[in-house]
Amino acid sequence: MGSQSSGSKWVAGLLIVAILVVVGIFIFREKQARDAVTAPAFSTAPAASASSTTVHDAPLVQHPIDPVSGSTAALPALDQSDDDVLAGLMALTSDGALKTLLRPEAIVSRMVSTIDALPKQSVGMNVVPLRTPTGRFQVVSDDGNFVASKKNVERYATYMYVADRMNAKAAAAWYKRNYPLFQQAYRDLGTNGYFNDRLIEVIDHLLAAPEPKGNQQLLPEKVGYVYANQTLEQLSVGQKFMIRIGPENEAKLKAKLRALREEIVADKAAMPTGE
């Protein structure tokens, strides 16, 4: 760990991955001190139109999106979707919290890239779709050992606020209508996989994060800190985040993730087995 850094249907759609995106925000600046290689510049090059992409033909699909849930309205091409996203945010009148956090370029692609990276050991800071927290990660002394300061929670307040306000049912409904955008962004990563399967896999991975008790000792490096407990230090960036935010916030995020997962797979559970 190092220095840290529905009105519109689009707004509801952004909230579907708000929790997962928040994960990426909190970890990437803490990891950058130990990343040996700088990630290449994030590409915003035009991608193929989402409406022309087949999203139900991936082999061994475990969690298909029911086509009936899709919208009959034409979707914009992935590389032209940012204006719609931003327009949805501008339509907000009662709460602009998410708007203050969002990086407005290649929003869906950044979301997909961040989600895909959470079970890994690092995530490129150039792909995260939200702005980083201000200030620096703080530590305090506890019986001669470095531990994370409780003051760090204050830096995360807006991100937790956004995650806490997520309506899982509305978010999942928007996601299903606009799924081709997410699938196209996932294909653009160079995979032939099915993004919804990856999303469920990542949610399950985060739900499996350990819940250690008490303060965790930190060891200083040239820049930043690492966990003294090697079992914790070797966790993925996503699971490491889940334990870093503390037991109370971890419990809240896991509850949101369970609700979101349930809504995303609801169509599959309800689909008839035959006529």
Side-chain angles (χ1 to χ4, degrees), residues 153-182:
V153 175
E154 299 172 6
R155 302 177 63 239
Y156 309 153
T158 303
Y159 302 90
M160 291 302 301
Y161 174 81
V162 170
D164 190 55
R165 288 174 65 86
M166 185 197 73
N167 182 298
K169 190 176 187 67
W174 177 90
Y175 168 70
K176 292 170 184 178
R177 288 194 302 270
N178 295 277
Y179 182 74
L181 294 174
F182 291 88

Side-chain angles (χ1 to χ4, degrees), residues 6-246:
S6 122
S8 161
K9 68 179 183 180
W10 273 104
V11 175
L14 291 176
L15 293 181
I16 189 176
V17 291
I19 294 176
L20 301 178
V21 169
V22 168
V23 173
I25 282 297
F26 292 125
I27 52 85
F28 83 85
R29 287 193 68 183
E30 292 180 359
K31 285 288 291 181
Q32 65 181 355
R34 289 180 285 124
D35 288 343
V37 179
T38 301
F42 188 77
S43 174
T44 57
S49 171
S51 60
S52 65
T53 302
T54 301
V55 297
H56 300 289
D57 61 351
L60 302 177
V61 172
Q62 300 297 311
H63 302 284
I65 296 295
D66 183 2
V68 176
S69 300
S71 172
T72 57
L75 295 176
L78 177 62
D79 63 299
Q80 298 174 5
S81 62
D82 286 336
D83 286 345
D84 292 286
V85 174
L86 294 176
L89 291 174
M90 291 296 289
L92 284 174
T93 56
S94 61
D95 193 334
L98 183 57
K99 179 182 175 182
T100 67
L101 302 180
L102 185 69
R103 295 173 64 182
E105 308 88 10
I107 298 170
V108 173
S109 293
R110 290 180 188 275
M111 287 180 173
V112 169
S113 295
T114 298
I115 292 168
D116 183 60
L118 294 178
K120 303 175 184 179
Q121 291 300 310
S122 65
V123 53
M125 65 181 183
N126 59 332
V127 305
V128 180
L130 299 183
R131 303 185 191 282
T132 61
T134 58
R136 297 176 63 86
F137 179 77
Q138 299 183 51
V139 298
V140 295
S141 177
D142 180 17
D143 291 333
N145 296 322
F146 290 118
V147 298
S149 170
K150 290 182 172 59
K151 292 182 179 180
N152 290 316
V153 175
E154 299 172 6
R155 302 177 63 239
Y156 309 153
T158 303
Y159 302 90
M160 291 302 301
Y161 174 81
V162 170
D164 190 55
R165 288 174 65 86
M166 185 197 73
N167 182 298
K169 190 176 187 67
W174 177 90
Y175 168 70
K176 292 170 184 178
R177 288 194 302 270
N178 295 277
Y179 182 74
L181 294 174
F182 291 88
Q183 181 63 30
Q184 179 63 55
Y186 193 48
R187 293 286 176 86
D188 288 349
L189 293 181
T191 174
N192 291 322
Y194 193 70
F195 176 69
N196 197 53
D197 285 351
R198 181 59 170 169
L199 177 60
I200 296 300
E201 179 184 8
V202 171
I203 291 175
D204 289 344
H205 178 76
L206 297 178
L207 290 174
E211 301 176 8
K213 305 299 182 182
N215 293 326
Q216 301 301 313
Q217 182 184 356
L218 305 174
L219 300 176
E221 286 199 338
K222 290 182 179 180
V223 179
Y225 298 84
V226 298
Y227 283 115
N229 184 328
Q230 285 301 301
T231 299
L232 298 183
E233 183 57 30
Q234 293 171 10
L235 293 174
S236 70
V237 290
Q239 289 191 341
K240 198 176 295 184
F241 158 76
M242 294 294 286
I243 65 173
R244 188 172 299 144
I245 59 175

